[in-house]
Structure formats: structure tokens, C-alpha cells
Amino acid sequence: MIATLVVVALHAALLLGLPHLGQVTRAGQDAGSFVTRLIAPPAAVAVPAPVAAAPPPRPTEPPRPRPPPTRAVDHAPKVAPTAAPPTAPPAQVSSRSDAPGHTAPAVSQLGPKPAGASFGGQSAPVPIEPAATATEAATALAFAPQAGDAPTRVPRAAELSYRTRGHIGGQPFELPTTLHWRQDGQWYEIRWGLYSPRVGEQTRYAVGLLSPQGLLPLRAELRTPELRDMRLDYARQRIHLSASDTEVPLAAGTQDRLGVLIQLGARIAGDPERYPPGQTIELPAVRPTGIGRWRFVVEADETLEALKGQNLPTVRLVHEAQDDQDVRIELWLGRTLDYLPVRLRITEAGGDTVEHDLVTAWARPTPVAPPAPQAPPAGPPAAGTN
């Protein structure tokens, strides 16, 4: 009975929620159920799921502005164009070639002599000594346009060596010779000679001015060893021949036998399309014994072996003797050699023959030019410029 009362009392206490008894009850066996209820709410607090919203900031990851590296790559190409300017200097050289006295073909096999190519090295360039006063030179330049307006491009200064052979006075010979072609943009000088104890000496020399019309000779010489020279006076339009101590008329465009070799190349280089096979180039000629006419016919191109085994494209020109004192000249000009002679074959009126075949060709430093000649106060205007 008493036990029943105790049980009833306990139930009443629980129902009435007495604070003291509630505490005792929490410490009793039923505490496990309350603990379970307390754990359940925290599970609901699993709202940390919003914390998963933290990843969203990652989508906005500023690292993706790493395109800067891409910009760096874009900047690198810009450096490549900067490397292009080194090719500009050659262009400047070719533009410089448009002036009288200079030329630099698109393709040229004429280059500087390598260091050590010759024993003892190379001597320093020597300026060309002017062959006329400033007044005389200006008068000659004012006279030059009367030769016409055919464009010209004069080859660069060069030194060319040849294997020379033939018959002079019935005597066969073979020896090396050198053509020295020098020019500084205003003056030019040419020297080509041969000497052999069997055939003696034959040296030709010419000096003059450069103009838009090409070579403007002032003096030409032939030494055999006797010296015979030709002096051209443009003020008086006369040529003095020392061999006969006489004077002959000076025509515009006159060329000596050495200068005509360079002048022909300058004419063709100035406008190659103007001289197809069959075309004739005519120029007044002066020789130690008098005046005449150069009449060179352009023939088909030929490829010649020169420069120690190289194949050079050349244009062939032939001048047939015009009288019993004239010579026959066959000339091959190198299209990739500033139109300088690759081969030259000469047959004299008396039967002597000489042939020159190119062995080496080097561009030479251009000598320092003296002051340019002043134009005459009342001369005709220069014409025929390129």
C-alpha cells in the first residue's frame, strides 16, 4: 500500500513539474532521453550548409585575371618587329645607289675582300686626285646633258683580277692582270695594264667625272711604253691627241677604249629592259690616233664560269671594227657583278689578240672625295637625272 502511495506521489511530482524533483529526475535514468532531445536541435543547426556558400567566392577567383601573362606574350611579338630594323640599313644602301656614282643591284656577287685574303693586308684607300679645276669640272658637267637622258648606274669601286692570254707581235703570252676601277661619287679613275718581257707593256689609264649621264672623261692614256694621251677640253669642245699633237672635235658622250667598258655597264644597269638582244648602243669614240664611233650590239645572255668555278649570268655585246684602225671588241658584263667585265676579247687591226677571263672580284673602299665642283654661273641646267 505504501509503495502504491509513493508511486502516485512521484507521478504527481512529475506532472506538476516541481523544480527540485526535475533536477533529480534529469540526473536519473531517464536522462538519456533528454540528452537525445538536446542533441536533436544542434542537428538542425546544421545550417552551416550556408558555409558551403563560401565556395561561391572562389568562382570569382581573381587569379583568372592571369591574362597578364597573355599580355606579356603579346608584348614579345612586339619585340620581334623591333628586330626588323636591322634589315633597314641595306635598304638605305640601295637607295643611296640611286645617286650618280653608286649602285647596289638587288643581287650582287661583288663583296669586300676577306681579311687575310692577300699577303700583307690591304693598303688604305687613297683619294682620287682631281684631273681638273673646279671651274673646268663645272663646265664639263654642264656639257654632259647633251649626251642624252638615258639613265645610268655606275658600278661600285672594285678590284678585278683576270687570267690574260693571247698573241702580241706573234708572241704567245699568259699572265695575271688587274683592273682597278675607282670612284667616289664625283670622280673616277680606271687602270688596266699588262707587262711581259716577251710582249712588252700595254697599260691603259683614264680619269674623269661622274654625271647623271655616266662617265665624263677628262684624260685617257696608253703606255706601250711610249706614252700617248688624249685630253678632253669641254670648254673649247676639243680633244688634244699627243701622238700627233693635233686637235679633233669633242662630241657629247665621247668615251675612250677603257672608259667605254664601264659606261656600257652603267647604261645597261640604269635600265636593263631598255637593251634587249638586237639593241645597239652607239657612242662617240676617241683613240690615240683620232676619233670614231663605238657601235655595240647587245646579244643573247650567256652563263660563264668565273670566280673560281661559279656560274655568272652575263650579257654579251660585240663591237665590229668600223675602219682599218679600229678593233673588234667582244664584252661579257656580269649581271650579278654590277655589270663589270667578266670576259673581254679584243682583236686588234694588226691581228694581235688578247683575252681576259675574270678570276677574282672585290669591292674596294671608296676613296674620300674632294669638294664637289661648283656649277658655272650661267651654264645650262643639268638634265637626264635618274
Side-chain angles (χ1 to χ4, degrees), residues 328-366:
R328 183 177 194 267
I329 299 178
E330 297 170 81
L331 176 64
W332 289 260
L333 299 173
R335 289 197 183 274
T336 58
L337 206 68
D338 288 22
Y339 287 91
L340 287 165
V342 173
R343 176 178 292 168
L344 173 64
R345 184 181 296 147
I346 295 177
T347 305
E348 300 282 354
D352 292 346
T353 60
V354 178
E355 181 172 324
H356 307 269
D357 289 291
L358 186 65
V359 177
T360 63
W362 308 109
R364 289 288 285 162
T366 302

Side-chain angles (χ1 to χ4, degrees), residues 131 140 188 206-210 214-220 230-234 250 253-256 259 263 286:
Y188 75 84
V207 62
L209 290 158
L210 295 177
L215 275 60
L216 196 59
L218 295 171
R219 189 175 80 251
M230 300 140 272
R231 296 177 180 270
L232 292 76
D233 186 338
Y234 290 90
L250 169 59
T254 294
Q255 296 294 331
D256 60 274
Q263 179 68 5
V286 60

Side-chain angles (χ1 to χ4, degrees), residues 130-211:
T133 65
T135 302
E136 292 169 339
T139 301
L141 290 172
F143 181 78
Q146 296 184 38
D149 60 357
T152 63
R153 274 192 162 187
V154 177
R156 290 169 289 172
E159 179 182 289
L160 302 97
S161 67
Y162 296 83
R163 174 192 176 206
T164 301
R165 61 188 186 278
H167 291 79
I168 295 180
Q171 294 292 325
F173 71 94
E174 181 174 334
L175 47 77
T177 62
T178 302
L179 168 60
H180 298 275
W181 157 247
R182 306 202 307 144
Q183 59 96 348
D184 58 20
Q186 297 177 64
W187 300 92
Y188 75 84
E189 186 178 67
I190 321 171
R191 185 185 301 276
W192 197 351
L194 66 83
Y195 172 78
S196 166
R198 300 181 68 182
V199 299
E201 179 183 11
Q202 283 199 12
T203 300
R204 292 183 182 273
Y205 172 83
V207 62
L209 290 158
L210 295 177
S211 74

Side-chain angles (χ1 to χ4, degrees), residues 25-53:
T25 304
R26 289 188 187 99
Q29 295 177 354
D30 293 337
S33 62
F34 283 98
V35 171
T36 306
R37 290 174 186 172
L38 290 173
I39 291 173
V45 184
V47 216
V51 179

